Amino acid sequence: MPSAPVATPTSAPAPEATEVVAVTPNPEWGVVRATVAQGASFTVDGSGYEPGQEIHISLGIDRTDSFVMDEQTAVADAAGNYGLTITIAADLLPGAYGILTYVADEGLGGPELEATKRFAGIDVVAS
């Protein structure tokens, strides 16, 4: 059975979205949680990175390794900030999802890599 994309990164909110929710992931799971309607957008943003550092961003089913969006990247600006807007597909099933962000510089691994991870919960609700 063919499946349609369920989440896509965009540079602007979906046309039907009236507000874009800003989500700033936290190093501890469960601290950040946002509710987003099917077909709406939210922005994942962060700060405190080195200028030019690449941040990897994934959206998946809550607390699993099942992703509903291909991994995306954002690059920290001159002030160490980044942002990426994601639009939830109108047909994504309502439920609990999660955002994972991390910095994957070459040679970084183990505890150093784990220390860069940030999390946010996303509750998708029917539109």
Side-chain angles (χ1 to χ4, degrees):
M1 161 171 100
S3 62
V6 292
T8 56
T10 61
S11 58
E16 65 275 7
T18 57
E19 176 182 349
V20 177
V21 177
V23 176
T24 303
N26 187 281
E28 185 178 336
W29 181 259
V31 172
V32 176
R33 191 141 209 107
T35 300
V36 181
Q38 294 166 311
S41 299
F42 67 97
T43 299
V44 178
D45 61 17
S47 61
Y49 296 93
E50 297 295 323
Q53 203 166 30
E54 188 174 74
I55 296 91
H56 295 259
I57 303 164
S58 299
L59 174 68
I61 298 171
D62 198 15
R63 297 186 184 248
T64 73
D65 289 333
S66 296
F67 296 103
V68 297
M69 176 186 83
D70 289 337
E71 183 175 85
Q72 302 298 309
T73 58
V75 177
D77 64 17
N81 303 317
Y82 78 92
L84 177 75
T85 299
I86 297 170
T87 300
I88 299 296
D91 63 351
L92 181 64
L93 293 175
Y97 296 86
I99 289 290
L100 166 65
T101 67
Y102 63 95
V103 175
D105 289 344
E106 193 161 318
L108 193 63
E112 293 172 323
L113 174 62
E114 291 300 312
T116 72
K117 290 184 177 180
R118 304 289 183 263
F119 307 93
I122 304 295
D123 294 314
V124 174
V125 297
S127 54

